[in-house]
Amino acid sequence: MSKPRVIVTGGSGRAGKWILKHFVEHNYEVINLDVKAPDEKICRTIITDLTDLGQVHNALSMFSTGNRQEVAGIVHFAAIPEAYMVPNEVCFRNNTMSTYNILEAAANLGIKKVVSASSESSYGICFASEFFEPAYLPIDENHPQLPEDSYGLSKVVNEVTAEAFHRRTGMQVVSFRLGNILWPESYAPIKANFDDTDARLRILWSYIDARDVASACRLAIEKDGLGAVVMNLAADDSSSNRPTQELVDKYLPGVKDIRTPLDGRISLLSSARAKELLGWEYQYKIMEQ
Ligand SMILES: NC(=O)c1ccc[n+]([C@@H]2O[C@H](COP(=O)([O-])OP(=O)(O)OC[C@H]3O[C@@H](n4cnc5c(N)ncnc54)[C@H](O)[C@@H]3O)[C@@H](O)[C@H]2O)c1
């Protein structure tokens, strides 16, 4: 029997590499679409600029035309991954057009499932010029999204685009609002800087290991009936060595609406929905890395 096939975008990037590895290890045929070649060859890469619908359509057609049932889904991670790396309009155009084109081509080719990388930056706190406190804690998916930067805005737009394609075609699109993504080499500098609790305030000390992101992506591709849905994705613990209540008392004293007890080093980004809908659990804890 042939292997199920998954298309990953942004597989040449930091998180994407671990997603490629995970799907290969779980016996998928994996194809990476990225504008640049990967450092390490894990699977086949088709160099594709996702802002060009012709290129996206053509690349996906190589794997889906006439054999559509073979594409189990697309895991779309290609993006400019933060605000103010490039001019605002470049980030907005790249991220929103890439996502639109992936969904448009998937819809036209009958591909039924897409996972899309959204971000905790869509809540707006991360890149706000004036820091503001969350409306309540922990932050779940109902929290207002208030970005002022074009990166966070692009992620909000992408989530709305996903809903439109679900309405048009019934396509399943899972948008993960990811906490700060870490991987094996990125833990040491954070742990060496634990005393600087200011450093990770803007991401509310959230994190998620790229290997746990990958497992959530696979679960989302393997699950049916999710519709268009957003899910926070973060480790259950924070990336600070301080108790969460102490951090909240120091940095977020105005937040009076605390919805679950802030025990120990609990994360301020709730992944309860991903756990409930996908049966996902995180494995990679910062203190064990
Ligand atoms: N890194 C984080 O902490 C973090 C947090 C939340 C969400 N995210 C999201 O996760 C995803 C991956 O982030 P990352 O940190 O691995 O980023 P990265 O920059 O390491 O990887 C992104 C990849 O996308 C590719 N890409 C960008 N624009 C493209 C285009 N137009 N066509 C084809 N390829 C294109 C790049 O070449 C790169 O290989 C992004 O969508 C990002 O917004 C990242």
Side-chain angles (χ1 to χ4, degrees):
M1 213 172 83
S2 60
K3 294 179 178 183
R5 185 178 273 168
V6 70
I7 313 284
V8 176
T9 79
S12 307
R14 296 169 299 182
K17 166 180 156 179
W18 297 95
I19 295 170
L20 299 182
K21 278 182 193 281
H22 180 89
F23 275 97
V24 168
E25 283 164 7
H26 284 79
N27 213 26
Y28 279 78
E29 181 193 346
V30 187
I31 295 112
N32 172 33
L33 306 186
D34 200 298
V35 78
K36 66 172 194 197
D39 295 339
E40 179 187 344
K41 181 170 168 43
I42 298 165
C43 66
R44 184 169 175 187
T45 293
I46 310 288
I47 299 296
T48 312
D49 181 351
L50 301 178
T51 62
D52 179 338
L53 179 59
Q55 290 190 38
V56 178
H57 206 281
N58 206 347
L60 292 182
S61 298
M62 290 165 67
F63 303 100
S64 47
T65 304
N67 224 347
R68 290 173 187 179
Q69 73 284 359
E70 279 194 24
V71 176
I74 301 175
V75 177
H76 172 49
F77 268 57
I80 290 163
E82 61 180 90
Y84 309 124
M85 280 175 77
V86 295
N88 293 339
E89 148 281 338
V90 175
C91 176
F92 184 77
R93 183 157 40 87
N94 186 74
N95 292 0
T96 56
M97 285 314 301
S98 295
T99 304
Y100 182 88
N101 289 342
I102 280 289
L103 293 170
E104 180 75 45
N108 292 337
L109 291 166
I111 296 169
K112 300 260 185 307
K113 292 180 183 173
V114 175
V115 172
S116 180
S118 189
S119 175
E120 55 84 26
S121 298
S122 68
Y123 294 114
I125 297 164
C126 185
F127 296 111
S129 45
E130 294 283 332
F131 177 72
F132 65 91
E133 296 182 350
Y136 60 85
L137 289 169
I139 290 182
D140 63 16
E141 295 82 358
N142 297 320
H143 192 279
Q145 290 173 293
L146 301 168
E148 65 180 68
D149 59 285
S150 79
Y151 172 71
L153 178 62
S154 76
K155 296 299 190 184
V156 175
V157 170
N158 287 346
E159 292 179 6
V160 177
T161 305
E163 288 168 13
F165 276 92
H166 171 67
R167 277 193 293 277
R168 191 200 290 180
T169 67
M171 185 192 295
Q172 172 171 302
V173 192
V174 175
S175 301
F176 284 126
R177 293 181 186 161
L178 301 157
N180 178 229
I181 301 174
L182 302 180
W183 52 92
E185 303 78 34
S186 57
Y187 286 102
I190 292 170
K191 290 164 102 169
N193 204 28
F194 263 159
D195 286 344
D196 181 6
T197 46
D198 293 4
R200 296 173 67 77
L201 163 63
R202 287 301 188 108
I203 50 170
L204 301 180
W205 306 277
S206 75
Y207 79 100
I208 174 86
D209 190 291
R211 294 163 288 186
D212 285 324
V213 174
S215 68
C217 291
R218 181 176 54 80
L219 289 171
I221 291 292
E222 292 176 353
K223 188 99 182 175
D224 297 321
L226 292 170
V229 63
V230 298
M231 300 181 197
N232 286 343
L233 209 64
D236 282 351
D237 59 341
S238 83
S239 61
S240 169
N241 63 351
R242 305 306 309 154
T244 298
Q245 186 67 60
E246 182 183 311
L247 296 170
V248 170
D249 290 345
K250 180 172 178 190
Y251 292 99
L252 308 168
V255 184
K256 302 298 178 210
D257 186 356
I258 306 287
R259 297 188 174 184
T260 56
L262 300 181
D263 295 333
R265 295 173 42 258
I266 191 172
S267 174
L268 293 175
L269 199 59
S270 166
S271 304
R273 183 182 286 178
K275 291 178 176 192
E276 185 192 328
L277 295 181
L278 299 178
W280 172 81
E281 288 291 340
Y282 88 119
Q283 280 185 36
Y284 296 93
K285 301 181 177 148
I286 188 167
M287 294 309 191
E288 295 171 5
Q289 299 302 308

